[in-house]
Amino acid sequence: MRYFKCDTLKQEDRKMITQDISLTEAEKKCDRQGDFLNVAATVLFVIAFITVLVISLFAIVHIPDPQNPFLRILVVVAMFVLGFGALIVSLFAGALISSPIYKKAQKKLIVRKKICFDKALISLREYYGWQDPCIVTKCYDSSDRKFKKRDVCIFVVDDELRLAADLKHGFSIRENDLGCYAFGVDEFTIAQIQSESFLITELKSEDIVFHLGRRAKGFIEKKFIAEKSDI
């Protein structure tokens, strides 16, 4: 067993940056459908709006023109009021007709997915050799107190099983780098034990102990112990 830590990491390196996450092919298809429906809804709105407005205005301008000057003034005022009403009705009609398609478009559209992570995570991954497959689990307790109640990442590098902070998803800039423990295949034991309310995985090596989530045992046995035993 060995322990090592990246001592070159400085606090000014701990900056949060945003990165786009690539959409899956299914999400891209769904996104394209959403864009098409969005355009279709807009076109339908414009057509419905113009159609209702033209019909309304046509009816308004064909209101009979009375000979009485006083009535003529009232008709002109009424035509302006009706014209404004026609505009409102046209907008309402366009929205009513296009609304179902627009709502369907919003369900199809994929919000561009982004992930915000610590810029230093890139260098930490390289330093500790992080790679998939890996498992992220909770460290409920440990003889190394800085690991207690932290999410940890377990992964395999060559002939070593390594345990570090969550290098897959990243961790808050308020949290510290935990360093990395590396174990050879014959340098630790694992067992599943019962805690007060659930099963946990106990990993022991010399004087260091980790109490991890129960899925950690299966991952370590399948991805490390079994594969190294086959060599």
Side-chain angles (χ1 to χ4, degrees):
M1 180 196 74
R2 65 191 182 98
Y3 173 81
F4 58 106
K5 188 174 182 181
C6 180
D7 295 325
T8 60
L9 184 65
K10 300 176 182 179
Q11 189 58 38
E12 53 265 31
D13 296 328
R14 302 297 306 277
K15 297 177 181 178
M16 300 302 288
I17 60 176
T18 302
Q19 184 181 65
D20 289 327
I21 301 177
S22 298
L23 299 179
T24 65
E25 288 303 317
E27 287 174 331
K28 289 179 182 178
K29 181 179 179 181
C30 196
D31 202 46
R32 288 193 296 269
Q33 291 174 347
D35 286 333
F36 174 78
L37 289 173
N38 219 9
V39 172
T42 302
V43 171
L44 189 60
F45 171 84
V46 172
I47 293 174
F49 170 77
I50 293 176
T51 301
V52 175
L53 184 62
V54 168
I55 293 173
S56 301
L57 292 178
F58 181 81
I60 291 171
V61 298
H62 282 80
I63 295 176
D65 187 15
Q67 297 299 318
N68 187 301
F70 179 74
L71 291 178
R72 184 177 297 175
I73 293 174
L74 289 179
V75 168
V76 171
V77 172
M79 289 176 69
F80 276 107
V81 173
L82 290 173
F84 181 75
L87 179 64
I88 300 299
V89 171
S90 299
L91 288 171
F92 180 77
L96 185 65
I97 294 173
S98 62
S99 179
I101 299 178
Y102 180 75
K103 288 180 179 179
K104 189 173 182 180
Q106 298 312 301
K107 292 180 180 180
K108 288 281 187 180
L109 286 170
I110 304 296
V111 177
R112 296 294 182 254
K113 297 187 295 183
K114 295 179 180 293
I115 182 171
C116 190
F117 65 94
D118 186 351
K119 183 180 179 181
L121 181 65
I122 299 172
S123 59
L124 288 175
R125 284 177 172 179
E126 293 176 351
Y127 189 85
Y128 295 129
W130 176 86
Q131 59 188 10
D132 274 321
C134 71
I135 185 172
V136 176
T137 186
K138 178 70 71 177
C139 179
Y140 299 104
D141 199 2
S142 174
S143 52
D144 187 337
R145 307 309 293 173
K146 61 179 177 289
F147 281 81
K148 185 177 180 180
K149 304 299 183 183
R150 285 285 299 273
D151 287 338
V152 295
C153 187
I154 303 172
F155 53 99
V156 178
V157 179
D158 298 327
D159 295 328
E160 291 183 327
L161 179 75
R162 295 187 179 180
L163 189 152
D166 185 359
L167 299 175
K168 181 174 183 178
H169 304 109
F171 48 92
S172 166
I173 58 175
R174 296 189 300 272
E175 298 175 311
N176 297 320
D177 170 33
L178 302 176
C180 181
Y181 280 93
F183 309 93
V185 70
D186 57 349
E187 293 180 337
F188 67 94
T189 59
I190 55 171
Q192 207 156 62
I193 62 176
Q194 181 69 46
S195 68
E196 293 181 1
S197 54
F198 51 84
L199 289 172
I200 61 174
T201 297
E202 183 179 72
L203 186 153
K204 285 185 178 181
S205 179
E206 299 176 7
D207 57 348
I208 188 76
V209 180
F210 294 98
H211 284 175
L212 310 167
R214 64 180 182 84
R215 294 186 303 116
K217 183 174 184 291
F219 175 84
I220 294 171
E221 290 176 336
K222 181 179 179 181
K223 298 298 182 181
F224 186 61
I225 296 176
E227 291 189 7
K228 297 309 172 185
S229 299
D230 293 337
I231 298 176

